[in-house]
Amino acid sequence: MADRRPPLWVRALATVIPRLPAGRYWAIHQLRHARTPPFMMRLPARLGGFLYECDLRDSVAREVCYTGGYEPQETAIASHLLRAGDVFVDVGANWGYFSLAAAHRVGPGGRVVAFEPEPRLYRMLSANIAANGIRMIAAHQCAVAAGAGEIAFAAFQPDEGNWGVSHAVASDVAADFTTPTVALDAALDAAAIDAVSLVKIDVEGGEADVLSGMRSGLASGRYRHVLLECHPALLAERGETAGGCIDLLRGAGYRVWIIAHSADAHRRAASGTTSLREMIGPYTDGAALGAWPHVLAVAPGVPDPV
């Protein structure tokens, strides 16, 4: 790995930026123009210190590189909920940020199951797992959906910033790649996994399909916690809504909490100046969901997170 170490200027900025009293994300955005070949960076010790392939063209990798984390609210929630020996399922794993961090939390006695359909991201995910010799992560190159089949995807463009925007498209639309699909209930049955402590779902408009493939497990409380990111515009293209996804969870008896995702909430979570109680609030009928809802659903009989 010696020839793939981060450049000195990257290491310096990764030390300075988290200490800035303000303007961290502005600085990171400006640094999108600074290009260097991909290198191997480490997650901070609190997330396991694992190596990951960092390509600074990707906004997610850039944020993790310069701040030490991504989606700090969800990172804090996952860290709070996961314990040694638990099972974590990562639906839409990207290059593995949450999978790597979860592997640190669940330890050698736990299990992480990661699904990523995009071929380039799956290669990075697999390479990151191999670079760290992590044996408790099982990675699958397929999309999680309502059932077994095949689906077409429009893929991200590397120079456009966010590598997590690949999404399913109608079969009559020109696609960049196709991938097999699997229902999560069936995939976990095949892996002999019963109880799941936390499943994270980030699938760019495929949320309703994923939840449909979890109906049996949701009804039985197989999934203790569901961390769901909704994409209303992409859901609408498929005739679905974020509210409909929440209704499916509530219909199975899950209690739903809305995660605060304002710019201020994000900054406070990233700086560690807020508590879990301040990050989430119970969902009520008719509550405004906003343009990019993130929710935590808790199974019947499982204690509230705060």
Side-chain angles (χ1 to χ4, degrees), residues 12-25:
L13 287 170
T15 300
V16 171
I17 288 176
R19 293 178 168 84
L20 293 176
R24 299 175 193 173
Y25 293 98

Side-chain angles (χ1 to χ4, degrees), residues 27 40 42 64 70-71 118 122 154 165 180 206 219 277:
M40 299 303 291
R42 285 191 182 275
V64 177
Y70 176 66
E71 291 193 340
E118 212 289 332
Y122 178 78
V165 298
R277 186 177 297 276

Side-chain angles (χ1 to χ4, degrees), residues 217-275:
L218 291 171
S220 66
R222 180 184 213 168
Y223 309 99
R224 290 172 58 85
H225 305 93
V226 179
L227 194 56
L228 175 68
E229 179 176 322
C230 294
H231 300 79
L234 290 172
L235 278 165
E237 292 179 6
R238 305 173 72 166
E240 307 284 354
T241 65
C245 295
I246 291 175
D247 288 344
L248 195 156
L249 290 163
R250 296 177 81 199
Y254 281 68
R255 305 183 309 284
V256 175
W257 300 70
I258 301 295
I259 302 170
H261 251 272
S262 66
D264 180 61
H266 187 97
R267 282 192 295 268
R268 288 188 291 113
S271 64
T273 58
T274 189
S275 66

Side-chain angles (χ1 to χ4, degrees), residues 19-289:
R19 293 178 168 84
L20 293 176
R24 299 175 193 173
Y25 293 98
W26 177 87
I28 293 169
H29 184 66
Q30 302 310 307
L31 287 166
R32 71 191 185 280
H33 300 300
R35 297 295 170 83
T36 189
F39 51 85
M40 299 303 291
M41 193 70 176
R42 285 191 182 275
L43 293 177
R46 63 185 171 81
L47 298 179
F50 294 124
L51 288 164
Y52 65 95
E53 182 179 325
C54 184
D55 190 318
L56 292 177
R57 292 177 297 173
D58 173 31
S59 60
V60 175
R62 196 164 59 245
E63 183 173 335
V64 177
C65 176
Y66 291 131
T67 72
Y70 176 66
E71 291 193 340
Q73 299 94 315
E74 285 70 27
T75 300
I77 290 167
S79 296
H80 174 76
L81 296 175
L82 291 172
R83 298 288 184 270
D86 280 352
V87 175
F88 173 74
V89 176
D90 197 353
V91 179
N94 203 294
W95 51 258
Y97 168 76
F98 278 101
S99 288
L100 294 172
H104 171 62
R105 296 295 298 174
V106 305
R111 298 178 72 175
V112 175
V113 185
F115 299 90
E116 176 51 54
E118 212 289 332
R120 293 163 295 180
L121 293 176
Y122 178 78
R123 180 200 63 76
M124 293 176 70
L125 170 64
S126 299
N128 289 339
I129 294 169
N132 295 285
I134 302 175
R135 298 188 177 184
M136 78 283 284
I137 302 180
H140 302 274
Q141 189 178 358
C142 63
V144 177
E150 191 172 79
I151 194 168
F153 270 78
F156 73 88
Q157 299 302 312
D159 290 323
E160 290 184 359
N162 187 343
W163 289 14
V165 298
S166 299
H167 60 277
V169 292
S171 58
D172 58 345
V173 175
D176 295 304
F177 68 94
T178 60
T179 188
T181 62
V182 63
L184 189 55
D185 280 340
L188 297 179
D189 288 345
I193 293 175
D194 184 16
V196 174
S197 180
L198 175 63
V199 52
K200 185 223 83 183
I201 303 169
D202 181 1
V203 291
E204 303 294 317
E207 298 89 280
D209 266 2
V210 172
L211 292 172
S212 292
M214 297 167 59
R215 284 184 185 274
S216 177
L218 291 171
S220 66
R222 180 184 213 168
Y223 309 99
R224 290 172 58 85
H225 305 93
V226 179
L227 194 56
L228 175 68
E229 179 176 322
C230 294
H231 300 79
L234 290 172
L235 278 165
E237 292 179 6
R238 305 173 72 166
E240 307 284 354
T241 65
C245 295
I246 291 175
D247 288 344
L248 195 156
L249 290 163
R250 296 177 81 199
Y254 281 68
R255 305 183 309 284
V256 175
W257 300 70
I258 301 295
I259 302 170
H261 251 272
S262 66
D264 180 61
H266 187 97
R267 282 192 295 268
R268 288 188 291 113
S271 64
T273 58
T274 189
S275 66
L276 193 64
R277 186 177 297 276
E278 294 173 301
M279 292 182 199
I280 64 174
Y283 173 80
T284 56
D285 288 326
L289 293 175

